[in-house]
Protein backbone atom coordinates (compact mmCIF):
# COMPACT_ATOMS: atom_id res chain seq x y z
CA UNK A 1 0.00 0.00 0.00
CA UNK A 2 1.23 3.55 -0.60
CA UNK A 3 2.81 5.57 2.17
CA UNK A 4 1.58 9.15 2.49
CA UNK A 5 4.65 11.21 1.71
CA UNK A 6 6.00 13.61 -0.89
CA UNK A 7 7.01 10.82 -3.30
CA UNK A 8 3.48 9.40 -3.39
CA UNK A 9 1.95 12.87 -3.75
CA UNK A 10 4.36 13.63 -6.60
CA UNK A 11 3.21 10.41 -8.32
CA UNK A 12 -0.44 11.47 -8.01
CA UNK A 13 0.40 14.88 -9.48
CA UNK A 14 2.34 13.24 -12.31
CA UNK A 15 -0.61 10.97 -13.14
CA UNK A 16 -2.96 13.96 -13.02
CA UNK A 17 -0.78 15.95 -15.42
CA UNK A 18 -0.70 12.98 -17.79
CA UNK A 19 -4.48 12.69 -17.63
CA UNK A 20 -5.18 16.37 -18.37
CA UNK A 21 -2.57 16.57 -21.15
CA UNK A 22 -4.69 17.22 -24.23
CA UNK A 23 -7.93 16.94 -22.26
CA UNK A 24 -9.29 20.26 -23.53
CA UNK A 25 -8.78 19.12 -27.12
CA UNK A 26 -10.56 15.84 -26.43
CA UNK A 27 -13.50 17.63 -24.80
CA UNK A 28 -13.74 20.09 -27.69
CA UNK A 29 -14.05 17.24 -30.19
CA UNK A 30 -17.31 15.93 -28.65
CA UNK A 31 -19.74 15.08 -31.45
CA UNK A 32 -23.21 13.65 -31.81
CA UNK A 33 -23.46 9.88 -32.15
CA UNK A 34 -25.75 6.87 -31.95
CA UNK A 35 -23.37 4.15 -30.77
CA UNK A 36 -22.02 3.34 -27.31
CA UNK A 37 -18.35 2.34 -26.97
CA UNK A 38 -17.83 -1.44 -27.00
CA UNK A 39 -16.40 -3.29 -24.02
CA UNK A 40 -14.23 -6.39 -23.77
CA UNK A 41 -16.13 -9.60 -23.31
CA UNK A 42 -16.25 -10.83 -19.70
CA UNK A 43 -17.40 -14.32 -18.84
CA UNK A 44 -20.42 -14.50 -16.55
CA UNK A 45 -19.59 -16.28 -13.28
CA UNK A 46 -21.33 -17.21 -10.06
CA UNK A 47 -21.53 -14.97 -7.01
CA UNK A 48 -18.94 -14.98 -4.25
CA UNK A 49 -19.47 -14.02 -0.61
CA UNK A 50 -16.69 -12.10 1.14
CA UNK A 51 -15.88 -9.29 3.55
CA UNK A 52 -14.64 -5.92 2.33
CA UNK A 53 -15.09 -2.19 2.71
CA UNK A 54 -17.59 -0.45 0.42
CA UNK A 55 -16.79 3.17 -0.41
CA UNK A 56 -19.19 5.59 -2.11
CA UNK A 57 -17.81 8.87 -3.53
CA UNK A 58 -20.22 11.53 -4.77
CA UNK A 59 -19.79 14.97 -6.36
CA UNK A 60 -22.10 17.50 -4.73
CA UNK A 61 -24.35 19.72 -6.86
CA UNK A 62 -23.77 17.73 -10.02
CA UNK A 63 -27.34 18.16 -11.30
CA UNK A 64 -26.97 21.94 -11.38
CA UNK A 65 -23.87 21.54 -13.54
CA UNK A 66 -25.75 19.49 -16.15
CA UNK A 67 -29.10 21.33 -16.06
CA UNK A 68 -28.22 23.52 -19.02
CA UNK A 69 -28.60 23.50 -22.78
CA UNK A 70 -25.42 25.57 -23.13
CA UNK A 71 -22.91 23.24 -24.79
CA UNK A 72 -19.97 25.22 -23.35
CA UNK A 73 -21.29 24.69 -19.82
CA UNK A 74 -21.71 20.98 -20.50
CA UNK A 75 -18.18 20.81 -21.85
CA UNK A 76 -16.96 22.39 -18.62
CA UNK A 77 -18.74 19.61 -16.72
CA UNK A 78 -17.17 16.99 -18.99
CA UNK A 79 -13.75 18.52 -18.41
CA UNK A 80 -14.35 18.51 -14.65
CA UNK A 81 -15.40 14.86 -14.65
CA UNK A 82 -12.29 13.89 -16.60
CA UNK A 83 -10.17 15.59 -13.95
CA UNK A 84 -11.97 14.13 -10.94
CA UNK A 85 -13.06 10.58 -11.74
CA UNK A 86 -9.77 9.21 -13.16
CA UNK A 87 -7.85 10.68 -10.21
CA UNK A 88 -10.26 9.12 -7.69
CA UNK A 89 -10.05 5.80 -9.52
CA UNK A 90 -6.24 5.81 -9.50
CA UNK A 91 -6.15 6.49 -5.76
CA UNK A 92 -8.64 3.68 -5.06
CA UNK A 93 -6.55 1.27 -7.13
CA UNK A 94 -3.47 2.29 -5.13
CA UNK A 95 -5.25 1.17 -1.96
CA UNK A 96 -6.16 -2.29 -3.28
CA UNK A 97 -9.60 -1.19 -4.44
CA UNK A 98 -11.89 -2.32 -7.22
CA UNK A 99 -14.27 0.08 -9.00
CA UNK A 100 -17.66 -1.61 -8.85
CA UNK A 101 -19.58 1.21 -10.46
CA UNK A 102 -19.08 4.64 -12.02
CA UNK A 103 -22.32 6.59 -11.77
CA UNK A 104 -21.10 9.55 -13.78
CA UNK A 105 -20.90 11.93 -10.83
CA UNK A 106 -19.69 9.30 -8.39
CA UNK A 107 -18.00 5.99 -7.76
CA UNK A 108 -18.75 2.86 -5.77
CA UNK A 109 -15.59 1.00 -4.82
CA UNK A 110 -14.82 -2.22 -3.00
CA UNK A 111 -11.60 -2.09 -0.99
CA UNK A 112 -9.76 -5.01 0.56
CA UNK A 113 -11.20 -8.13 -1.03
CA UNK A 114 -8.02 -10.01 -0.12
CA UNK A 115 -7.27 -8.21 3.15
CA UNK A 116 -8.34 -8.59 6.77
CA UNK A 117 -10.86 -6.19 8.32
CA UNK A 118 -8.25 -3.87 9.80
CA UNK A 119 -6.34 -3.48 6.54
CA UNK A 120 -9.55 -3.01 4.53
CA UNK A 121 -10.88 -0.35 6.92
CA UNK A 122 -7.68 1.64 7.14
CA UNK A 123 -7.03 1.47 3.41
CA UNK A 124 -10.53 2.83 2.79
CA UNK A 125 -9.95 5.65 5.28
CA UNK A 126 -6.51 6.48 3.86
CA UNK A 127 -7.84 6.41 0.29
CA UNK A 128 -10.56 8.86 1.33
CA UNK A 129 -8.04 11.24 2.90
CA UNK A 130 -5.95 11.09 -0.26
CA UNK A 131 -8.98 11.80 -2.47
CA UNK A 132 -9.90 14.90 -0.49
CA UNK A 133 -6.28 16.06 -0.40
CA UNK A 134 -6.11 15.73 -4.19
CA UNK A 135 -9.37 17.66 -4.58
CA UNK A 136 -8.14 20.52 -2.41
CA UNK A 137 -4.53 20.78 -3.52
CA UNK A 138 -4.55 19.54 -7.12
CA UNK A 139 -7.90 19.22 -8.89
CA UNK A 140 -9.71 22.33 -7.65
CA UNK A 141 -6.77 24.71 -8.17
CA UNK A 142 -6.50 23.41 -11.73
CA UNK A 143 -10.26 23.75 -12.38
CA UNK A 144 -10.31 27.28 -11.00
CA UNK A 145 -7.37 28.19 -13.25
CA UNK A 146 -9.68 27.21 -16.13
CA UNK A 147 -12.56 29.27 -14.65
CA UNK A 148 -14.47 26.06 -13.85
CA UNK A 149 -16.36 25.83 -10.57
CA UNK A 150 -14.51 23.89 -7.88
CA UNK A 151 -15.70 20.43 -6.83
CA UNK A 152 -17.25 19.58 -3.49
CA UNK A 153 -17.78 15.93 -2.61
CA UNK A 154 -18.66 13.49 0.15
CA UNK A 155 -17.72 9.91 1.00
CA UNK A 156 -19.55 7.12 2.84
CA UNK A 157 -17.87 3.85 3.89
CA UNK A 158 -18.90 0.66 5.62
CA UNK A 159 -17.28 -2.72 6.25
CA UNK A 160 -18.89 -6.13 6.25
CA UNK A 161 -20.04 -9.07 4.21
CA UNK A 162 -20.96 -8.51 0.58
CA UNK A 163 -21.99 -10.75 -2.26
CA UNK A 164 -20.19 -10.07 -5.52
CA UNK A 165 -22.14 -11.41 -8.45
CA UNK A 166 -22.18 -11.04 -12.21
CA UNK A 167 -25.46 -9.71 -13.57
CA UNK A 168 -26.68 -9.62 -17.14
CA UNK A 169 -26.80 -11.63 -20.33
CA UNK A 170 -24.14 -13.60 -22.22
CA UNK A 171 -22.42 -11.33 -24.69
CA UNK A 172 -22.54 -13.94 -27.43
CA UNK A 173 -22.29 -12.22 -30.80
CA UNK A 174 -23.43 -8.88 -29.41
CA UNK A 175 -21.08 -6.02 -30.18
CA UNK A 176 -21.51 -4.53 -26.71
CA UNK A 177 -20.98 -5.83 -23.20
CA UNK A 178 -24.26 -6.98 -21.61
CA UNK A 179 -23.20 -8.11 -18.14
CA UNK A 180 -21.35 -6.62 -15.20
CA UNK A 181 -20.10 -7.28 -11.68
CA UNK A 182 -22.06 -5.80 -8.82
CA UNK A 183 -21.91 -5.94 -5.02
CA UNK A 184 -25.07 -6.47 -3.01
CA UNK A 185 -25.89 -6.78 0.67
CA UNK A 186 -26.40 -4.67 3.80
CA UNK A 187 -22.83 -3.34 3.78
CA UNK A 188 -23.25 -1.76 0.35
CA UNK A 189 -26.68 -0.44 1.33
CA UNK A 190 -25.41 1.13 4.54
CA UNK A 191 -22.38 2.71 2.83
CA UNK A 192 -24.69 4.25 0.23
CA UNK A 193 -27.07 5.62 2.88
CA UNK A 194 -24.17 6.99 4.93
CA UNK A 195 -22.79 8.78 1.87
CA UNK A 196 -26.20 10.37 1.30
CA UNK A 197 -26.17 11.62 4.90
CA UNK A 198 -22.59 12.90 4.87
CA UNK A 199 -21.82 16.60 5.05
CA UNK A 200 -20.04 18.36 2.20
CA UNK A 201 -16.35 17.46 1.91
CA UNK A 202 -16.64 14.99 4.79
CA UNK A 203 -16.00 11.27 5.32
CA UNK A 204 -18.75 9.41 7.16
CA UNK A 205 -18.43 5.75 8.11
CA UNK A 206 -20.23 2.87 9.77
CA UNK A 207 -19.44 1.34 13.16
CA UNK A 208 -17.32 -1.47 11.74
CA UNK A 209 -14.94 0.97 10.07
CA UNK A 210 -14.38 2.80 13.36
CA UNK A 211 -13.98 -0.48 15.22
CA UNK A 212 -11.12 -1.60 12.96
CA UNK A 213 -9.41 1.78 12.54
CA UNK A 214 -5.92 2.31 13.89
CA UNK A 215 -6.06 2.94 17.62
CA UNK A 216 -4.06 6.14 17.12
CA UNK A 217 -6.87 7.49 14.89
CA UNK A 218 -9.83 6.78 17.18
CA UNK A 219 -9.95 10.40 18.39
CA UNK A 220 -10.82 11.56 14.87
CA UNK A 221 -14.26 9.92 14.96
CA UNK A 222 -17.34 11.94 15.94
CA UNK A 223 -20.74 10.27 16.33
CA UNK A 224 -23.28 11.39 13.73
CA UNK A 225 -25.99 8.73 14.09
CA UNK A 226 -29.32 10.34 13.09
CA UNK A 227 -32.19 10.10 15.55
CA UNK A 228 -34.29 8.25 12.96
CA UNK A 229 -31.50 5.81 11.98
CA UNK A 230 -33.00 2.31 11.93
CA UNK A 231 -29.97 0.07 11.34
CA UNK A 232 -29.15 -2.18 14.31
CA UNK A 233 -26.75 -5.03 15.00
CA UNK A 234 -28.19 -8.46 14.21
CA UNK A 235 -29.99 -10.16 17.10
CA UNK A 236 -29.82 -7.07 19.28
CA UNK A 237 -31.43 -3.68 19.78
CA UNK A 238 -28.11 -1.83 19.67
CA UNK A 239 -27.90 0.86 17.00
CA UNK A 240 -25.31 0.47 14.27
CA UNK A 241 -23.75 3.91 14.70
CA UNK A 242 -22.60 6.39 12.07
CA UNK A 243 -19.40 8.40 12.50
CA UNK A 244 -17.65 11.33 10.87
CA UNK A 245 -13.92 10.80 10.32
CA UNK A 246 -12.38 14.29 10.41
CA UNK A 247 -8.69 13.49 9.99
CA UNK A 248 -6.72 15.17 7.18
CA UNK A 249 -3.36 14.45 5.63
CA UNK A 250 -0.51 16.74 6.62
CA UNK A 251 0.59 18.91 3.70
CA UNK A 252 3.57 17.65 1.72
Amino acid sequence: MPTWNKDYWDKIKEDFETNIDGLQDRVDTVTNGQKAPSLDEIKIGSGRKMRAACLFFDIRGFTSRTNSSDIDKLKETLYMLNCVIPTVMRIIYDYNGYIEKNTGDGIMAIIGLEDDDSVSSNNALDASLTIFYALKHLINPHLQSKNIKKVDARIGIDLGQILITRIGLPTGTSKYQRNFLTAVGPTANIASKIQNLASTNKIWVGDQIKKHAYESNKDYFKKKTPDDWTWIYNKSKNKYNVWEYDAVWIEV
Side-chain angles (χ1 to χ4, degrees):
M1 294 306 110
T3 299
W4 179 251
N5 55 29
K6 188 175 185 303
D7 288 341
Y8 179 46
W9 176 236
D10 287 343
K11 180 63 167 60
I12 291 174
K13 291 193 290 184
E14 179 183 342
D15 289 344
F16 180 76
E17 292 298 329
T18 299
N19 179 59
I20 64 173
D21 183 29
L23 176 58
Q24 189 64 61
D25 291 339
R26 298 196 297 275
V27 170
D28 287 341
T29 58
V30 170
T31 59
N32 294 327
Q34 301 295 325
K35 296 182 178 180
S38 61
L39 300 173
D40 294 335
E41 183 176 351
I42 303 174
K43 182 181 178 181
I44 298 176
S46 61
R48 188 153 63 117
K49 186 168 61 175
M50 52 189 33
R51 288 180 65 84
C54 288
L55 182 154
F56 282 78
F57 167 88
D58 173 66
I59 296 173
R60 301 301 312 269
F62 184 74
T63 301
S64 65
R65 293 177 184 261
T66 57
N67 190 20
S68 172
S69 58
D70 185 339
I71 188 63
D72 289 332
K73 292 295 184 184
L74 294 177
K75 284 183 176 180
E76 284 185 4
T77 300
L78 180 60
Y79 189 96
M80 176 275 292
L81 286 173
N82 276 280
C83 289
V84 175
I85 299 300
T87 303
V88 173
M89 292 174 70
R90 280 189 172 92
I91 291 169
I92 288 170
Y93 292 144
D94 286 342
Y95 286 93
N96 197 25
Y98 165 78
I99 306 299
E100 193 268 0
K101 189 177 297 162
N102 178 356
T103 61
D105 61 334
I107 282 175
M108 176 187 174
I110 303 167
I111 296 180
L113 289 176
E114 300 173 358
D115 299 323
D116 64 29
D117 285 354
S118 178
V119 173
S120 298
S121 296
N122 289 293
N123 279 344
L125 291 171
D126 288 352
S128 299
L129 295 182
T130 306
I131 288 167
F132 277 124
Y133 191 97
L135 277 176
K136 180 178 180 180
H137 295 280
L138 180 63
I139 297 171
N140 281 334
H142 174 73
L143 291 176
Q144 290 179 304
S145 76
K146 306 280 288 185
N147 293 317
I148 297 174
K149 182 181 176 182
K150 74 181 184 72
V151 170
D152 291 313
R154 56 186 176 181
I155 290 175
I157 318 170
D158 194 37
L159 172 78
Q161 193 172 88
I162 58 174
L163 177 65
I164 297 181
T165 184
R166 193 173 298 280
I167 303 293
L169 300 169
T171 300
T173 59
S174 173
K175 184 176 180 180
Y176 305 116
Q177 184 59 41
R178 301 193 294 180
N179 55 78
F180 54 92
L181 285 174
T182 190
V184 295
T187 298
N189 294 339
I190 294 173
S192 177
K193 291 181 182 297
I194 289 174
Q195 177 250 288
N196 287 328
L197 291 171
S199 304
T200 300
N201 297 324
K202 295 295 183 180
I203 303 163
W204 284 28
V205 306
D207 238 0
Q208 285 293 304
I209 293 290
K210 177 180 181 292
K211 177 181 177 182
H212 292 95
Y214 299 127
E215 194 62 36
S216 58
N217 289 346
K218 292 295 177 67
D219 289 342
Y220 292 109
F221 291 91
K222 299 178 180 178
K223 188 181 288 188
K224 294 290 184 177
T225 312
D227 291 338
D228 59 352
W229 185 251
T230 58
W231 288 94
I232 60 173
Y233 279 96
N234 286 339
K235 300 179 181 179
S236 79
K237 294 183 180 180
N238 297 324
K239 272 195 175 182
Y240 186 82
N241 286 311
V242 177
W243 305 83
E244 179 183 304
Y245 182 63
D246 67 352
V248 294
W249 281 139
I250 59 172
E251 292 193 20
V252 292

